[in-house]
Amino acid sequence: MLNTVIIQPPLVQLNTPYPSGAYLQSFFKDQYQERNIQGKIKWLDLSNELFHSVFCKKGLAHIFSCSSKRALQIADSMEQNGDADSAFELRRYVSLSGHWIKWIDCIVAILCANNSSLSGREFTHEFIRSAHAPRGARMERYLSKLDRDVGVDDSQILASLALADLADYITMCYDSNFALIRYAERLATSTAKFSDVIQGLNGSILKDFYEPLLKSKLSEFEGQNTLFCVSIPFPGCLELAVFTGDYIKKKWGNNAVVAFGGGYVNTELRTVKEKRLFDYCDFLSYDKGYGSYLQIFDKVQKKLFVKKALDGSQIYNVKYLYQDNFVEPLLKSDEYEKKEIQIVKKTIPDFEGINFKDYPRLADDNNPMHRIWNDGAWIKAYMAYGCYWHRCAFCDTSLDYVKSFCGTNIDSLYRGLCNQAKKAGVYGIHFVDEACPPVSMQRFALLNSLNTETPLTWWGNIRFEKTFSRDLAELLSYGGLTAVSGGIEIATGNGLDAVNKGTSIENIVSSCCAFKEAGILVHSYMIFGFWNQTEQDLINSMETLRQMFANGLLDSAFWHKFSLTLHSTVYREYLEGKHPDLKPLPVPEGQFAENDIHFEGEKKSQKYSDSLNAALEYWMHGEKLNKSVETYFPFKMPKPTIEQNYVEKLIQKYEQKRDSAYNELPKENQKYIWLGGKPVILSSNEKNHSIVELCWSYMGEMHYFKTEKNQAELFVELIKKGYAEEILGSIIIKVSGAKLFKFLRGKGLVALL
C-alpha cells in the first residue's frame, strides 16, 4: 500500500489554487489505476489553509496577544527616530486590536464566496461606513482619494486593503518573514547560504500556525507508507517547503519519501551541492516530473515502498544523496521523454478536493486588468508545455520548461476543463502557458463557441505577433477570451532585436489593435536594466509605451528589472565570447540558489525604477498621458527620439492592412466562420422585387445589404446549416457572390488560420 500526498506550501496567489497539484493529482490517479497500486491520493493546498488560519478571530487574537507589547516598543523607537506616522499606525493597531478581531471574519467573508453562516454581505454597509470599523494606512489612503461617497462597490477593495494592512503589522511586529503572498521570499532570493533558510525554521507563523496545520491535515497518514510531493513554484515557498519536509521526516521516519519539485527547483537547484537540503527531502524531481515518478514506479516491485527504488542508480531527472554522494539527474532518456510527452498531451488537471469558494477574491486596484488577476477563482491550466518560440535572449532557454515545447490535445483539454468547471462551479480558465499557441487558442475558441450549455470564459499569456489579426481576435473574443498578457520587454526596434524577441513594434501594435477592437483586455510586461541598454533606448521604450496607453492599446503593464540567469541565452552567448561588455561577478562561496548571476553595473539601473513605476501608475488609470516622459525622472534624461505620433502611424498602417484584407477574395481552401447574428431578409421597397435587403447584427451594430433575393435566401440557408462552423470561402462566394462576400468581411464573417 502506498499513499501519495501532494502539498502546496504557503504562500502563493491567494484567489485560486496553484495548478501543479491538479496536474500531479491527475497523473497519480492514472498511474494508480494502471498499475493497480493501492492507497490514497490527496492534494492539500496549505497556502489557502494557512491564510484562513491566520486571518480569523482565533488567529488574530493570538497574533495581537503575542505582539502588542513589541509593537508599542517599536512605535516608541520609531517616534524617537522621527517617524511619527509609523509610530501612530502601530499604536492604532494595538488600540484597535479588539476591533480587528471582531471584524476579521466579516472582512474575509466579503472576499470569499464560502458556505459559512456569515456571508459578509449583511455587514458590508457597516464595514465601509462605520466610524467604529478598523482602518489601516492603505485603507485610509484609498478612501482619501475617492472623489465621491464610499459605496458598496468599494467593499471588496477595502476588505482587500484591510488584509494588506494587517499583513504589514504582522510582518513588522510578529514575523518579519511574513508576506501576504510570499513567505520569506527575501531569504530565498537574496541569501547565499542554506544556513539562513534553516535559521528561519523557527519563525512565528511556522511554529504557531503552520505546524498545527500540518498536524491536522496529515494525521490520517501517520504510520503509513506515503510519498509526499512538495511543490516549490516560487522562492517564497522554499522556507515552508523545508519546514514541511522537516515535520514529515520527524513524524514518519522511514515510512515517508519526500520529493521537492516545481519552478524554483527547476531553475535554482539543478546543480545544488548543499547536502543539508537532503535532511528535509529524499530527492529533487526536475522539469515535468512525470518521468521521474514513472521510472521509480517501474523500478519498484509490487507492494514494495518507493524508497527501495533509490538504490544509487540514476533515475530520470532526479537528484538525491546515496551513501553521502550526490546522484546527478539523468537529463536524457528517450524512453521516459517519450512517455512524458504522451502524458503532457493527455493530462487534464484534476481539482478534486479543492473548494474554490474558500479562496478570497482580492481587489486592490480598480484597473480592470489588475482585477482580472485576483478577482475571481480561476481554474489554471496550460494549452502547451514550454514555449513555441523559446529564443528570447533573457529567458531560461536551456531549461525544459521553456525549450521543450509540447502542445496538448485541445479537444480533450476543452472537454476536460468543462468537466472540471462543472464539478468546481468555476467557469473561468486562466492559461498559464509561457505563450499560448494561436492555433490552439483558435481551436479552443471554436469549441467554446459551440458550447450551448455553460461556455467557459478564459484568458492567458501570449506573444504579441502578426498572427493575431483582427479576424483571429474577433473569433477569440466570441469564443470567450477576455484578456491577454504578453511581453513587449523593450518597446524599440533595437531593443527587440537585442533580446531576439522575434517580433517588431509594428506587429506588437497591430496585435494590440486587433485585441482592443475585439474588446479584449491587454497587459504588457516590460524590462529595463539590460547591461548594455542606453538611456536613450530606455526613454524611447518608455515613450512608445506611453503612446500605446494614450491610444488605448494597453490596459496595464509592469516593469521588470533585467536579471542575468545561468540558463539564459545571454549567459550562454557570454560563455561563447559574444558579449565582451557583459561582466558577470564571481558566485559567492556556498551560494545555495544558483540561477541569478550578478554582473558589473547592474545596480546602476535601479535609479530608474521609481520613475518608471510612477509614470505607469498614472497611465494605467488614464492620467498624465500627455506628460513628457523624461520629466518623470529627478535627474537629467534624454528626450525621446521617436516621433510623437509614432504609434498613431502604426495604428493607421494596421487599419489599412485590415481593410485591404477585407477586400480580398479568399485563397484556395481558405475557411471562414460566421459570428454575426442571425441574418434575416427584409421586404424591399425596390420596384424590382427580385432585390431584397439582408439584415443582421454584429458587435453592437446593425448591418444592411441589398442583393438578389435568391442569393440572400441561399446565404441565409448556408449560415443556418453552418452556423458557428467552418465554411469554405469559395462556397460562400458561389452562393452569395463576391460583392456580398466582401461586405460580410469585418461584419461577422471571420477568416480562420
Side-chain angles (χ1 to χ4, degrees):
M1 178 174 173
L2 173 65
N3 301 313
T4 295
V5 179
I6 304 157
I7 297 175
Q8 177 55 66
L11 281 159
V12 294
Q13 188 178 359
L14 291 176
N15 66 306
T16 200
Y18 192 76
S20 60
Y23 278 96
L24 284 175
Q25 180 165 247
S26 179
F27 164 76
F28 280 116
K29 281 184 177 181
D30 288 344
Q31 292 302 310
Y32 271 47
Q33 184 175 357
E34 290 179 16
R35 298 168 185 268
N36 195 27
I37 299 174
Q38 301 301 310
K40 298 178 182 177
I41 300 170
K42 193 166 188 176
W43 172 25
L44 299 173
D45 185 358
L46 298 186
S47 184
N48 181 259
E49 296 282 357
L50 181 65
F51 167 80
H52 285 285
S53 295
V54 171
F55 294 101
C56 65
K57 287 183 178 179
K58 182 180 178 181
L60 283 192
H62 175 79
I63 288 172
F64 279 118
S65 174
C66 294
S67 63
S68 291
K69 183 178 179 179
R70 183 164 185 262
L72 294 175
Q73 292 171 344
I74 295 173
D76 289 344
S77 177
M78 286 180 164
E79 189 171 54
Q80 291 172 11
N81 291 321
D83 190 355
D85 290 342
S86 296
F88 164 79
E89 291 297 337
L90 288 182
R91 290 165 181 159
R92 180 167 64 164
Y93 278 119
V94 174
S95 179
L96 291 177
S97 59
H99 293 69
W100 282 111
I101 294 167
K102 171 187 174 182
W103 276 96
I104 188 59
D105 287 349
C106 175
I107 290 169
V108 172
I110 288 172
L111 298 172
C112 295
N114 58 30
N115 294 317
S116 68
S117 58
L118 181 66
S119 72
R121 302 307 300 174
E122 302 94 331
F123 295 92
T124 296
H125 295 278
E126 183 182 358
F127 172 67
I128 63 174
R129 293 188 176 88
S130 174
H132 302 287
R135 294 288 185 261
R138 295 171 187 259
M139 300 172 73
E140 289 195 330
R141 279 197 296 271
Y142 175 78
L143 291 170
S144 68
K145 291 179 180 179
L146 286 180
D147 55 1
R148 52 173 172 75
D149 290 338
V150 62
V152 174
D153 292 338
D154 296 304
S155 62
Q156 189 178 8
I157 291 180
L158 282 172
S160 301
L161 295 175
L163 293 181
D165 280 326
L166 284 171
D168 289 343
Y169 173 83
I170 293 170
T171 304
M172 184 172 292
C173 303
Y174 179 69
D175 188 332
S176 60
N177 285 328
F178 182 79
L180 197 58
I181 297 179
R182 305 279 188 264
Y183 183 90
E185 186 167 38
R186 174 187 54 80
L187 280 178
T189 56
S190 65
T191 186
K193 296 181 179 180
F194 189 62
S195 303
D196 296 334
V197 176
I198 296 175
Q199 290 176 6
L201 296 181
N202 292 317
S204 298
I205 288 289
L206 278 71
K207 288 293 185 180
D208 296 348
F209 289 92
Y210 190 58
E211 186 170 3
L213 189 60
L214 285 172
K215 182 178 181 180
S216 169
K217 296 299 179 181
L218 299 182
S219 60
E220 66 178 287
F221 300 101
E222 282 192 34
Q224 303 174 28
N225 288 339
T226 307
L227 169 62
F228 292 93
C229 301
V230 183
S231 178
I232 314 177
F234 309 112
C237 300
L238 174 64
E239 187 82 54
L240 286 106
V242 171
F243 189 93
T244 302
D246 186 49
Y247 178 87
I248 293 169
K249 289 282 189 178
K250 290 175 180 176
K251 287 286 185 181
W252 269 257
N254 289 329
N255 288 328
V257 166
V258 180
F260 285 173
Y264 181 79
V265 173
N266 291 334
T267 56
E268 301 287 350
L269 305 181
R270 298 194 76 85
T271 59
V272 64
K273 298 299 182 185
E274 178 56 72
K275 293 182 178 181
R276 288 177 296 175
L277 175 63
F278 294 92
D279 292 335
Y280 305 96
C281 70
D282 292 292
F283 65 90
L284 303 178
S285 177
Y286 294 104
D287 302 330
K288 304 177 187 71
Y290 304 132
S292 60
Y293 294 115
L294 285 176
Q295 187 172 9
I296 287 173
F297 285 154
D298 288 345
K299 288 170 65 66
V300 176
Q301 299 296 318
K302 192 174 182 181
K303 297 184 179 179
L304 291 182
F305 188 41
V306 173
K307 217 164 205 175
K308 294 185 181 294
L310 304 178
D311 58 2
S313 62
Q314 288 185 320
I315 296 176
Y316 179 72
N317 274 6
V318 158
K319 182 171 187 172
Y320 60 98
L321 278 178
Y322 181 71
Q323 296 181 352
D324 205 37
N325 290 312
F326 283 103
V327 177
E328 297 290 347
L330 180 63
L331 299 178
K332 183 68 176 176
S333 168
D334 290 340
E335 177 188 359
Y336 287 101
E337 283 186 359
K338 289 177 181 178
K339 289 181 178 180
E340 281 193 320
I341 289 172
Q342 294 305 312
I343 291 169
V344 167
K345 288 181 177 179
K346 72 176 184 178
T347 300
I348 309 299
D350 183 350
F351 289 85
E352 183 180 0
I354 298 297
N355 184 359
F356 282 85
K357 293 181 179 180
D358 285 338
Y359 289 79
R361 278 70 160 169
L362 302 178
D364 57 0
D365 196 285
N366 280 318
N367 181 279
M369 192 70 208
H370 282 203
R371 290 293 293 270
I372 203 171
W373 241 289
N374 298 315
D375 186 3
W378 300 94
I379 290 177
K380 290 180 180 285
Y382 57 74
M383 290 185 174
Y385 180 87
C387 178
Y388 64 89
W389 173 247
H390 57 257
R391 294 180 182 88
C392 294
F394 54 85
C395 200
D396 293 326
T397 49
S398 67
L399 293 184
D400 185 77
Y401 83 95
V402 174
K403 71 176 182 178
S404 299
F405 175 74
C406 178
T408 62
N409 182 304
I410 296 298
D411 288 52
S412 297
L413 177 66
Y414 182 77
R415 290 192 298 269
L417 290 178
C418 284
N419 184 46
Q420 288 294 312
K422 187 174 182 180
K423 289 179 180 179
V426 174
Y427 291 87
I429 310 297
H430 177 197
F431 286 109
V432 294
D433 299 57
E434 293 298 308
C436 295
V439 173
S440 299
M441 295 175 74
Q442 176 179 275
R443 181 60 185 165
F444 194 90
L446 284 169
L447 293 169
N448 202 37
S449 67
L450 295 172
N451 188 335
T452 57
E453 294 184 6
T454 309
L456 305 173
T457 181
W458 54 288
W459 66 291
N461 202 43
I462 55 97
R463 278 176 48 79
F464 292 116
E465 56 181 69
K466 62 183 179 181
T467 309
F468 291 106
S469 63
R470 171 69 183 266
D471 280 299
L472 181 55
E474 287 184 18
L475 171 56
L476 296 177
S477 176
Y478 184 85
L481 180 68
T482 187
V484 294
S485 57
I488 294 177
E489 324 304 0
I490 303 176
T492 66
N494 290 338
L496 292 173
D497 291 342
V499 298
N500 196 26
K501 193 63 186 175
T503 188
S504 65
I505 297 297
E506 180 180 338
N507 289 338
I508 290 170
V509 168
S510 175
S511 58
C512 288
C513 286
F515 286 129
K516 295 307 294 180
E517 284 184 318
I520 296 170
L521 296 171
V522 181
H523 172 87
S524 168
Y525 300 105
M526 304 295 295
I527 292 182
F528 73 99
F530 278 83
W531 80 94
N532 56 358
Q533 186 176 32
T534 65
E535 286 192 336
Q536 188 65 65
D537 196 53
L538 174 61
I539 206 72
N540 284 351
S541 179
M542 186 182 180
E543 169 63 13
T544 304
L545 191 69
R546 181 198 69 78
Q547 291 186 27
M548 292 182 73
F549 272 102
N551 283 279
L553 298 185
L554 294 175
D555 296 284
S556 65
F558 186 82
W559 284 102
H560 294 265
K561 190 175 181 298
F562 168 69
S563 294
L564 177 64
T565 63
L566 180 68
H567 306 289
S568 66
T569 298
V570 168
Y571 189 69
R572 174 179 57 79
E573 292 176 344
Y574 158 76
L575 294 176
E576 296 170 352
K578 295 181 179 179
H579 301 299
D581 53 341
L582 176 61
K583 301 185 186 306
L585 299 175
V587 176
E589 185 177 350
Q591 179 166 305
F592 176 60
E594 66 169 9
N595 198 32
D596 285 356
I597 299 175
H598 296 292
F599 59 92
E600 287 185 12
E602 68 177 312
K603 293 182 179 179
K604 293 180 180 178
S605 60
Q606 190 61 45
K607 67 179 182 179
Y608 305 117
S609 181
D610 289 344
S611 299
L612 291 172
N613 290 327
L616 195 55
E617 184 68 17
Y618 284 121
W619 300 342
M620 289 193 298
H621 296 89
E623 302 173 7
K624 300 189 178 182
L625 290 168
N626 294 318
K627 181 179 177 180
S628 299
V629 291
E630 71 274 12
T631 61
Y632 281 97
F633 297 87
F635 45 85
K636 185 173 178 59
M637 286 286 284
K639 292 184 177 182
T641 57
I642 63 174
E643 297 177 284
Q644 286 288 306
N645 60 348
Y646 175 57
V647 169
E648 188 176 335
K649 285 184 176 180
L650 291 177
I651 292 173
Q652 293 172 357
K653 195 170 183 179
Y654 157 78
E655 291 173 341
Q656 291 169 359
K657 286 186 175 181
R658 176 202 63 196
D659 295 342
S660 176
Y662 286 163
N663 285 313
E664 293 176 357
L665 293 177
K667 297 177 182 178
E668 187 177 358
N669 298 323
Q670 175 67 58
K671 293 181 179 180
Y672 295 81
I673 187 171
W674 177 253
L675 303 182
K678 179 181 178 180
V680 296
I681 300 174
L682 305 178
S683 57
S684 175
N685 294 324
E686 298 283 340
K687 294 181 179 179
N688 182 356
H689 293 293
S690 66
I691 301 296
V692 296
E693 194 167 36
L694 272 172
C695 169
W696 68 92
S697 64
Y698 185 60
M699 295 178 70
E701 296 183 10
M702 294 298 297
H703 301 281
Y704 300 88
F705 186 83
K706 291 182 179 180
T707 186
E708 295 284 342
K709 183 177 181 181
N710 66 324
Q711 286 186 328
E713 291 173 342
L714 288 171
F715 174 70
V716 170
E717 191 63 25
L718 176 67
I719 295 302
K720 189 185 298 182
K721 289 180 179 179
Y723 194 78
E725 293 182 358
E726 300 173 11
I727 312 169
L728 279 173
S730 57
I731 294 177
I732 299 173
I733 291 179
K734 183 178 180 180
V735 167
S736 58
K739 190 175 180 181
L740 176 56
F741 173 86
K742 290 183 178 180
F743 185 81
L744 295 170
R745 298 287 283 114
K747 303 178 184 67
L749 186 64
V750 173
L752 299 176
L753 293 177

